[in-house]
Amino acid sequence: MRESVQDVDEVVALASALIRIDTTNTGEPSGTRGERLAAEYVAERLEDAGYETTYVESGAPGRGNVIARLPGADRDRGALLVHSHLDVVPAEPSEWSVHPFSGEVSGGYVWGRGAVDMKHMAAMSLAVARRFRRDGVVPPRDLVFAYLADEEAGGVNGAGWLVQHRPELFDGVTEAISEVGGFSLTVGDGVRAYLVETAEKGVGWLRLHTRGTPGHGSLLHTDNAVARLAAAVTRLDAHEFPLMLTPPVRDFLAGVSDLTGVPFDEGDDPAKILGRLGSVARMIGATLRDTANVTMFSAGYKDNVVPSTASAIFDCRLLPDREEAFLREVDAVVGPGVEREWKSMPSVSTSFDGTLVDAMTAAIIAEDPDARLLPYMLSAGTDAKAFQRLGIRHLGFAPLRLPPDLDFTALFHGIDERVPVDGLLFGARVLDRFLRMC
């Protein structure tokens, strides 16, 4: 099965059109825009093909979500959720080679904020959903297509809100696929491994506070809140949490060892394997241990006043079942005189087996016969964290065949974000095959 020229043009056109809708999500209501426009655009495309859609806004106006269901041959079988988020992180146009919301198609790429994270998957699933409805395709099981708001700020007004307030939209769903999986990694002698996300780290936001004695900046100060916080931040930034091999990471490293011929022994330094992975080593390396990266620092209000308070925020990513141990370690590192606030979302994990994985493998192999699929753990978080509250099993599978020299992981939230046109077309073909046999 190959795509027609019309289908090829459509998936590229859809990706470009979605990128041109500025759906920037700053995490603050005043800086967030475009989600309603993008959701309405998706709903119109689905309705044009014959779907009945449900458009839902959360309690916050403009936070649009769209859901549509395609009945399958076996209505008693658990449905498959195919979800994408429509919001993107901010982009500064002056830093880019092209305008980040141009959706420009040039040099073999579709350019713009969200091309990788994750409007390419939204475009592929939308193109396949439209084709199935137009052609009268009946998939093996119900397919639920969801296009969601607010993932980049934790899904409070997207997946999280829907799970809490509109769970009936996902009745019968037992499994789901979404972002950051199914992309290729070239290893060994040109062998392409396609990484399927079977787990993702937990997410935690850590805020540190210090208090001190305020006063004039010209005086001696031994109780300076800013200095105390800076010292604590420096200690935590330099701290290395213990290395731990979880099952998905162990399976991934063993698979890479098999493909490259580089021996993998759990007692050895995993860096020997990571060194063969190129740019993706940063992401895989981050799944070997907990991480805590300072992202914001706030203190003071005038250059000659020592303030009474200071605060810093850390983005923390935790391995499964590590939260209590992680917080004990943080407390020991930052030391006395530092207050801590903490909120978190849990890790996600499933096994790399079953009929869904078999269908993924068959769909990839049909387009890339020498390919190999490997499980891996994502160092970041996705809307899977919300959907697992409904008991839905999640796998990251947004297929893309990538050029060997493309620094794919750097494109997530990066400058000049872009997706290869050939990879997008490949992904649409694979997704079509997969959903016909899932």
Side-chain angles (χ1 to χ4, degrees):
M1 180 272 299
R2 292 286 176 177
E3 293 175 305
S4 68
V5 173
Q6 180 182 0
D7 290 330
V8 165
D9 289 344
E10 179 169 63
V11 71
V12 175
L14 288 171
S16 178
L18 286 168
I19 291 168
R20 289 198 299 272
I21 303 173
D22 180 353
T23 53
T24 295
N25 184 355
T26 63
E28 299 294 336
S30 60
T32 299
R33 53 187 176 266
E35 289 171 327
R36 174 186 290 166
L37 291 176
E40 289 174 343
Y41 174 84
V42 169
E44 290 171 0
R45 302 287 82 73
L46 289 170
E47 290 165 4
D48 286 346
Y51 284 90
E52 292 184 6
T53 66
T54 300
Y55 175 85
V56 182
E57 290 190 2
S58 70
R63 313 309 296 270
N65 303 272
V66 174
I67 296 91
R69 185 181 289 252
L70 180 63
D74 186 351
R75 303 303 306 279
D76 294 327
R77 199 177 152 209
L80 176 69
L81 172 64
V82 183
H83 62 97
S84 307
H85 65 84
L86 298 174
D87 62 318
V88 300
V89 296
E92 173 52 56
S94 64
E95 298 176 334
W96 285 56
S97 301
V98 303
H99 194 283
F101 298 105
S102 66
E104 180 177 316
V105 182
S106 64
Y109 288 86
V110 183
W111 297 71
R113 176 60 85 218
V116 166
D117 189 10
M118 63 167 302
K119 290 182 176 179
H120 77 285
M121 179 58 169
M124 291 192 301
S125 65
L126 185 54
V128 173
R130 281 167 52 82
R131 183 183 313 138
F132 278 17
R133 194 68 173 178
R134 289 195 309 261
D135 296 348
V137 173
V138 179
R141 62 204 289 196
D142 280 13
L143 301 178
V144 178
F145 297 97
Y147 302 86
L148 307 169
D150 200 35
E151 190 274 346
E152 296 293 358
V156 174
N157 293 292
W161 190 92
L162 292 170
V163 164
Q164 182 176 356
H165 297 279
R166 297 296 304 274
E168 76 280 359
L169 294 171
F170 309 102
D171 281 350
V173 173
T174 57
E175 296 178 303
I177 62 165
S178 189
E179 60 181 325
V180 208
F183 60 91
S184 68
L185 169 67
T186 302
V187 297
D189 295 326
V191 176
R192 278 179 295 277
Y194 288 82
L195 278 55
V196 176
E197 182 216 309
T198 59
E200 60 185 48
K201 296 175 78 175
V203 179
W205 291 276
L206 172 70
R207 183 186 293 269
L208 300 180
H209 293 283
T210 54
R211 304 179 188 277
T213 304
H216 200 287
S218 66
L219 303 177
L220 295 175
H221 287 271
T222 58
D223 185 29
N224 189 314
V226 179
R228 183 177 299 112
L229 179 65
V233 167
T234 299
R235 288 193 296 271
L236 187 54
D237 180 71
H239 180 70
E240 188 171 77
F241 291 89
L243 186 148
M244 301 180 68
L245 287 182
T246 59
V249 174
R250 184 182 296 110
D251 291 345
F252 172 80
L253 294 175
V256 172
S257 172
D258 183 51
L259 291 174
T260 61
V262 177
F264 167 60
D265 187 320
E266 290 190 27
D268 291 344
D269 184 354
K272 290 195 299 186
I273 294 290
L274 295 181
R276 305 295 295 263
L277 300 181
S279 59
V280 81
R282 291 178 61 206
M283 181 172 66
I284 301 300
T287 64
L288 297 174
R289 61 184 83 243
D290 301 331
T291 61
N293 288 305
V294 61
T295 57
M296 299 177 70
F297 197 107
S298 177
Y301 51 89
K302 198 173 186 300
D303 57 4
N304 64 349
V305 177
V306 174
S308 61
T309 62
S311 65
I313 295 176
F314 281 77
D315 182 312
C316 306
R317 306 296 166 130
L318 280 60
L319 296 173
D321 303 318
R322 274 282 299 169
E323 186 164 327
E324 290 185 8
F326 173 84
L327 292 175
R328 286 197 301 270
E329 203 163 336
V330 166
D331 290 341
V333 171
V334 301
V338 181
E339 302 170 15
R340 165 168 63 78
E341 292 181 23
W342 175 255
K343 61 179 181 178
S344 64
M345 293 192 294
S347 60
V348 176
S349 183
T350 188
S351 57
F352 187 61
D353 56 20
T355 58
L356 199 66
V357 172
D358 292 343
M360 291 175 181
T361 303
I364 290 282
I365 295 297
E367 295 291 337
D368 190 355
D370 296 326
R372 169 86 174 269
L373 273 65
L374 296 178
Y376 90 106
M377 173 183 283
L378 177 64
S379 59
T382 74
D383 280 333
K385 295 186 184 304
F387 288 119
Q388 76 169 351
R389 283 154 44 196
L390 296 178
I392 297 173
R393 178 194 186 207
H394 181 271
L395 291 161
F397 188 69
L400 285 174
R401 179 169 169 173
L402 301 172
D405 58 348
L406 180 67
D407 189 351
F408 183 60
T409 56
L411 299 178
F412 285 86
H413 299 186
I415 296 169
D416 284 345
E417 185 178 352
R418 61 199 184 276
V419 63
V421 170
D422 287 345
L424 187 63
L425 305 182
F426 171 89
R429 292 195 300 270
V430 170
L431 190 63
D432 186 303
R433 290 181 182 275
F434 167 71
L435 293 179
R436 289 174 188 261
M437 66 177 83
C438 66

